[in-house]
Amino acid sequence: MNIQPREFQLCLALYLIAGALPATGQQGGPDTIDSIKPGARHTAKKQPAKKAPRSGRRSTSTKKKAVARRAPVSSPHPAASHYPTPAAPLKTPALPIMAHSQGMDRQVQQGANQLDATPDELHIDQIGAGDTTAYAAATTSVKLGATPLWKVACSVQFGEPRSMAGGAILRARGGRLGVVMADSVSESMSVYVEGSTARFAQRTDRLWHRFEFIGSRAGTTVWMDGGKIGEGLATALPDSLLVGPMGTSPGRQTEIRVRGLTTTPNPSDSALVDLFNGTDLSGWIHGGKPWRCVDGLIVNTGRDWLAFDPQIPTNGFELAIRVRIIDGQRLRIHLGQDFYVGNEGDSHRLAIIGEIADERQLGDDSYVTGHWYDLRIQVDSQDNVVLSQDGKITHVVRRRTRKPFRLSISPGDTFSQGHIEVATVRLLCLQ
């Protein structure tokens, strides 16, 4: 066959163009020379599909399959909105930490110290071995209201005394009213009332001791384990209690534990004060050894007197006392220098005796030895006195004098002695 050069060049060009086009796999596509040059007898061989280079783009179908296979694997470059907010670097906590114990609302500054608080006990101690100013401290408000007689008590135990004294501070109007403290300088425990000329001190023994502050309009007294150890002229009403360091200079904090915090009168008791705490004779002075606290009772086997130390307001008050006479013929509850509630001679009667007027007996006033009786004495601002026995009024009188006095109880006199027991003594001061 005679092929002209021009025809040969045209065929060669068409052949090269057909080989360079990619196969699409679609019907009627430019797969062969026959589709390009109809009528030609020679059929060109089918060209194999070329593989895409590794660095090239994948086909749509292949890409979808690859994405489906890799779906469980997170993308190394997720959207910015999926990134979590970077956490700030951790720092030593400097915010106050609340410590719940003893019904106190306390806050503590954590530093080179520790504070442990449970519902029953508060514990403050030093962590580091060196000096620090990051002391732990705890405070609570004391809500007593406008009352002429109050009591605040707690048990305290000191551990190892260190350079910075630690203690429990009863505060009033931003100042100190009473202090229980210990340090390594004096190696002792000190207790005092603001305004006193002397301080009680003893060597730190690391034992639990019960402290009770009792205040009235005449001053404040402090008691330890039932014994009076100090008094002062401070008459302010306490408003808070601080447990912690006694200063702010660098040092090592003295270990202290506090538990059993009580205040009276409670706001719900309307100025009703428990004069006997049921544990010891804090607040009471006596003339001899026969008086003691046994199984939650005040017990006496002699004829010496027992008196509540702070003076009782005389404008008006109510006294409730639960008592029984075990043996003997005398019981006298002195409500002033000139009159008392009790009996005379061998009579088993409880009446109001002394400088009184307008006496009237309204009920049975007899008693039986060995029985418990609830006595209530009410004195108003008009000097009227009402005596009730087990809830029933027995006597009404008018007192002749009005003088400050100390409540005292006596089971006998110079002619006889008796054995009595007292369970409760509660006083309500009327404004």
Side-chain angles (χ1 to χ4, degrees), residues 352 354-362 382-386 394-400:
I352 303 175
E355 294 295 325
I356 57 176
D358 303 332
E359 180 180 4
R360 289 179 294 162
Q361 182 175 345
L362 303 179
Q382 304 299 319
D383 298 326
N384 296 309
V385 183
V386 178
T394 58
H395 289 269
V396 176
V397 303
R398 182 184 295 273
R399 63 178 178 178
R400 292 182 181 274

Side-chain angles (χ1 to χ4, degrees), residues 113-136:
N113 50 55
Q114 69 177 12
L115 181 138
D116 302 319
T118 69
D120 300 320
E121 183 178 304
L122 174 73
H123 176 216
I124 294 178
D125 196 9
Q126 179 90 16
I127 293 179
D131 289 353
T132 181
T133 56
Y135 297 118

Side-chain angles (χ1 to χ4, degrees), residues 144-330:
L144 296 173
T147 174
L149 185 66
W150 55 266
K151 297 169 67 175
V152 176
C154 64
S155 297
V156 178
Q157 180 192 47
F158 290 104
E160 177 187 353
R162 300 192 179 100
S163 57
M164 173 51 67
I169 307 171
L170 189 62
R171 298 163 59 88
R173 302 172 184 171
R176 297 178 180 179
L177 181 63
V179 175
V180 179
M181 58 175 287
D183 60 30
S184 61
V185 177
S186 60
E187 296 185 353
S188 65
M189 175 177 62
S190 302
V191 185
Y192 66 91
V193 175
E194 195 68 25
S196 62
T197 57
R199 296 187 179 188
F200 171 85
Q202 73 171 30
R203 191 172 185 84
T204 306
D205 53 17
R206 303 192 184 187
L207 299 177
W208 282 101
H209 295 285
R210 183 73 178 175
F211 297 93
E212 192 161 315
F213 290 88
I214 304 175
S216 69
R217 293 166 180 167
T220 302
T221 59
V222 58
W223 306 71
M224 185 178 77
D225 300 329
K228 184 178 179 180
I229 59 174
E231 61 183 338
L233 299 177
T235 58
L237 197 66
D239 52 34
S240 63
L241 179 69
L242 169 66
V243 180
M246 300 297 295
T248 58
S249 59
R252 297 188 61 214
Q253 190 162 7
T254 297
E255 182 182 14
I256 182 173
R257 297 177 185 267
V258 177
R259 66 186 182 193
L261 173 66
T262 60
T263 61
T264 184
N266 296 320
S268 60
D269 287 341
S270 182
L272 186 63
V273 181
D274 286 304
L275 303 187
F276 172 50
N277 60 23
T279 304
D280 54 45
L281 295 179
S282 294
W284 297 84
I285 55 177
H286 51 84
K289 295 181 179 179
W291 290 100
R292 61 188 186 277
C293 182
V294 180
D295 297 331
L297 301 174
I298 298 176
V299 177
N300 178 272
T301 56
R303 59 173 178 259
D304 290 299
W305 50 268
L306 177 73
F308 189 71
D309 188 46
Q311 293 182 340
I312 304 299
T314 56
N315 289 337
F317 63 88
E318 294 184 11
L319 178 69
I321 179 170
R322 183 172 176 80
V323 62
R324 69 174 172 177
I325 302 175
I326 303 300
D327 53 40
Q329 303 297 326
R330 291 288 187 271

Side-chain angles (χ1 to χ4, degrees), residues 314-391:
T314 56
N315 289 337
F317 63 88
E318 294 184 11
L319 178 69
I321 179 170
R322 183 172 176 80
V323 62
R324 69 174 172 177
I325 302 175
I326 303 300
D327 53 40
Q329 303 297 326
R330 291 288 187 271
L331 171 62
R332 294 183 176 180
I333 304 173
H334 290 269
L335 302 172
Q337 298 177 355
D338 302 316
F339 77 104
Y340 61 89
V341 171
N343 60 357
E344 280 290 345
D346 296 334
S347 66
H348 283 65
R349 298 176 57 243
L350 294 176
I352 303 175
I353 303 170
E355 294 295 325
I356 57 176
D358 303 332
E359 180 180 4
R360 289 179 294 162
Q361 182 175 345
L362 303 179
D364 183 13
D365 60 359
S366 63
Y367 71 88
V368 178
T369 302
H371 286 207
W372 285 101
Y373 292 95
D374 290 309
L375 304 179
R376 181 178 294 272
I377 302 103
Q378 298 171 289
V379 180
D380 64 20
S381 59
Q382 304 299 319
D383 298 326
N384 296 309
V385 183
V386 178
L387 172 62
S388 301
Q389 185 171 316
D390 289 339

Side-chain angles (χ1 to χ4, degrees), residues 12-33:
L12 179 61
L14 293 174
Y15 178 80
L16 293 176
I17 293 174
L21 293 174
T24 62
Q26 298 178 357
Q27 187 175 3
D31 292 336
T32 62
I33 283 292

